Amino acid sequence: MPAGLFTIHTFGCQMNEHDSERLAGLLREAGYEPSPAPEESDLVVVNTCSVRAKSEEKLFSLLGRLAFRKKRRAFRLAVVGCTAQIHGERIMARVPEVDYVLGPESESRLPELLSRGIGKAVALEQSAAWRESEPRTVPRASPASAYVTIMEGCDNFCTYCIVPYARGREKYRPARLVRAEVESLVRDGYKEITLLGQNVNSYRDPEGGLPFSGLLCDVGSLAAGIWLRFLTSHPKNFGSDLIAALKTVPALCRQIHLPLQSGSSRVLKTMNRGYSRDDYLGLVSSLREAMPGLELSTDVIVGFPGETEEDFVATLDVLDRVRFANIFSFRFSPRPMTAAAGREDDVPLSVKKRRLIELQALQKGIQHERNRALVGTERTVLCTGVSKKGGPFFCGRDESHRVVNFSWNGAVSPLHRFLSVRISDCGPYSLRGEGLGFSPA
Ligand code: SAM
Ligand code: SF4
Ligand code: F3S
């Protein structure tokens, strides 16, 4: 008989997705089981994101629905993660049905609070050093792809960003624990490992000083024959040792997420990004030289305070020059505590919207053109699931993280395996093709 049934709702980035997996592992160890139907849960956890105002609006609308449900059926309600850290007990004041508010570094205490029968709690610890709180087994969302956390927090204080307040200062996980986790994932047959952190390339092993480039080489030797990625790296921390490491780690996918934010040096300065437009473009050239065939993706913010039409055109120009495989683009959203929140949010909403549409239209054309160039080629794909159309159509990702939908007539399921796909067609956001057979990574 389980201690109870739980459901976790997750908002936000990959860090949060992985935190939810780990929390699910800790809850299972405490005797809880995932609920087959959310409305039958004895415990509902909401893992939250604060990066834009919209993320918080979605949270409060979900909490409203959960509070209504709680009037008809009793269950425990926990709000964990970044918004918990930012708003603390104010969440309980606004939604009294919430039982626990636990920040990212406190959420692993949830099983203990439940077992001790503590009815209401707010915990918002932020520590200076790494604290390991892994369950014995992490129930990962995919049996093929795994996230491995190497660091937490951020010291960069980009003027728009709430993450340093939500996640605290940078804390690095000992390299021996990272290596042990990667080894066990490889043993368990995982095909893709992503090293995770807000700023992975500022990593330094707290027990020996090994930099990120060294960790990557170590992990790369353990991950031979599978795909290795890292997320997110900051352009200002991409040193020559790391560029050199790209050449020596065969497991590394030729794909890097390299947030640009703006193509205007003036805006980058007011964002406190620590690089200019020319630094960024120079880095892109060095990376492409070190790793031929490298594909880049990025993040862009439009409508940052003071962004002129000229600044915006400079961003479009960088997109034109770099020709990213994919971008994530956002309208600036003022966040509490950040330096930019003290500045006038002077770009009108209509201008922000127009700029976002223009940027996305430009990128759509670039992506479509780049995808068309792949028609007729064969790509190695890691199959991640059955396509929305159902079998015999499947979907997956190629090395550059493009979505690939493909037909498959083999007798053995391609799920969670590498295979070769001949690309026959494409749209701006995906490739389509025919699975030819299994292949090495
Ligand atoms: N550490 C990573 C980095 O340096 O880019 C990721 C940070 S954040 C979780 C992901 C993206 O959200 C950022 O790259 C940025 O483009 C966007 N973002 C952060 N704060 C924002 C804000 N106040 N308004 C709009 N977009 C924001
Ligand atoms: Fe936020 Fe900047 Fe840190 Fe990324 S590097 S998490 S954008 S403060
Ligand atoms: Fe959001 Fe926190 Fe990630 S604010 S983007 S969940 S680090």
Side-chain angles (χ1 to χ4, degrees):
M1 178 78 178
L5 299 175
F6 72 90
T7 297
I8 304 182
H9 298 275
T10 306
F11 295 95
C13 63
Q14 290 89 347
M15 297 286 288
N16 258 19
E17 282 172 33
H18 187 43
D19 287 349
S20 289
E21 292 176 338
R22 293 201 312 232
L23 185 55
L26 293 170
L27 287 169
R28 280 169 174 235
E29 275 168 20
Y32 285 80
E33 292 287 337
S35 178
E39 52 293 344
E40 286 164 21
S41 307
D42 305 296
L43 169 68
V44 175
V45 182
V46 189
N47 193 2
T48 59
C49 173
S50 269
V51 78
R52 282 167 289 276
K54 217 180 197 151
S55 333
E56 290 188 6
E57 286 159 20
K58 281 196 229 157
L59 163 69
F60 283 104
S61 101
L62 173 63
L63 288 182
R65 294 196 298 279
L66 290 169
F68 181 71
R69 190 195 295 167
K70 215 174 166 187
K71 291 191 189 2
R72 287 172 289 138
R73 184 180 185 281
F75 61 87
R76 296 251 172 245
L77 179 54
V79 176
V80 305
C82 293
T83 312
Q85 188 72 35
I86 297 293
H87 292 302
E89 51 252 34
R90 284 189 300 242
I91 295 177
M92 276 181 183
R94 186 161 161 187
V95 187
E97 289 80 3
V98 171
D99 301 299
Y100 308 106
V101 176
L102 309 172
E105 287 187 53
S106 308
E107 61 201 42
S108 56
R109 289 180 50 193
L110 181 59
E112 179 211 325
L113 293 169
L114 292 164
S115 72
R116 286 171 52 202
I118 294 175
K120 290 247 170 196
V122 177
L124 309 170
E125 294 127 37
Q126 279 192 332
S127 56
W130 181 266
R131 279 189 309 179
E132 184 79 357
S133 58
E134 289 289 299
R136 278 186 298 278
T137 317
V138 180
R140 290 186 153 85
S142 153
S145 300
Y147 292 126
V148 173
T149 305
I150 66 162
M151 54 101 56
E152 259 282 354
C154 183
D155 289 351
N156 286 322
F157 293 94
C158 301
T159 54
Y160 50 81
C161 185
I162 203 166
V163 171
Y165 306 94
R167 296 261 173 181
R169 296 297 73 71
E170 291 181 3
K171 295 153 273 260
Y172 311 120
R173 190 177 185 201
R176 66 183 163 84
L177 298 175
V178 175
R179 285 193 285 261
E181 186 168 8
V182 168
E183 252 171 342
S184 101
L185 290 166
V186 172
R187 228 181 292 122
D188 290 346
Y190 280 85
K191 303 284 193 302
E192 180 181 41
I193 291 175
T194 304
L195 304 179
L196 211 55
Q198 288 303 339
N199 195 12
V200 288
N201 50 351
S202 65
Y203 177 87
R204 222 154 249 287
D205 182 3
E207 294 177 352
L210 186 76
F212 181 59
S213 54
L215 181 73
L216 208 52
C217 293
D218 282 8
V219 167
S221 64
L222 301 171
I226 67 168
W227 281 352
L228 180 63
R229 302 180 194 273
F230 53 87
L231 192 76
T232 300
S233 47
H234 196 301
K236 80 173 164 56
N237 298 121
F238 229 110
S240 50
D241 59 325
L242 183 52
I243 297 178
L246 301 182
K247 298 183 195 168
T248 59
V249 184
L252 265 183
C253 287
R254 281 166 298 172
Q255 180 260 337
I256 294 176
H257 186 68
L258 193 67
L260 167 70
Q261 311 302 359
S262 168
S264 152
S265 294
R266 204 186 59 78
V267 174
L268 287 169
K269 202 167 174 48
T270 58
M271 287 177 162
N272 191 31
R273 288 291 288 175
Y275 54 88
S276 67
R277 160 201 180 81
D278 286 347
D279 294 337
Y280 188 93
L281 290 171
L283 176 61
V284 167
S285 303
S286 308
L287 293 175
R288 287 190 163 149
E289 203 177 302
M291 211 180 210
L294 174 70
E295 295 279 10
L296 293 164
S297 57
T298 202
D299 293 347
V300 177
I301 297 176
V302 300
F304 187 75
E307 186 191 64
T308 63
E309 208 53 31
E310 199 184 324
D311 294 321
F312 173 62
V313 169
T315 301
L316 296 181
D317 181 61
V318 172
L319 260 55
D320 243 338
R321 286 167 191 256
V322 177
R323 304 182 72 72
F324 294 100
N326 188 18
I327 69 165
F328 299 88
S329 49
F330 314 99
R331 290 197 306 255
F332 169 69
S333 163
R335 306 307 297 127
M337 294 184 266
T338 63
R343 295 187 56 181
E344 192 194 344
D345 186 14
D346 57 356
V347 181
L349 182 61
S350 58
V351 175
K352 284 184 185 165
K353 283 185 176 169
R354 193 255 302 151
R355 287 184 186 164
L356 193 65
I357 290 170
E358 222 176 288
L359 181 100
Q360 289 174 344
L362 170 69
Q363 179 60 23
K364 186 177 175 185
I366 293 171
Q367 274 177 222
H368 207 168
E369 195 184 312
R370 302 209 55 211
N371 287 354
R372 272 195 220 104
L374 297 174
V375 172
T377 64
E378 280 177 30
R379 314 274 304 159
T380 302
V381 171
L382 177 58
C383 178
T384 50
V386 177
S387 142
K388 284 181 205 130
K389 284 191 205 167
F393 294 97
F394 292 84
C395 56
R397 298 269 184 173
D398 69 1
E399 185 183 335
S400 56
H401 220 240
R402 285 188 173 86
V403 173
V404 184
N405 295 302
F406 59 95
S407 60
W408 175 255
N409 296 316
V412 180
S413 167
L415 263 182
H416 311 130
R417 296 182 64 172
F418 290 115
L419 53 143
S420 184
V421 174
R422 183 180 299 117
I423 306 302
S424 52
D425 195 7
C426 72
Y429 306 110
S430 63
L431 304 174
R432 286 182 285 280
E434 170 203 353
L436 301 175
F438 293 114
S439 97

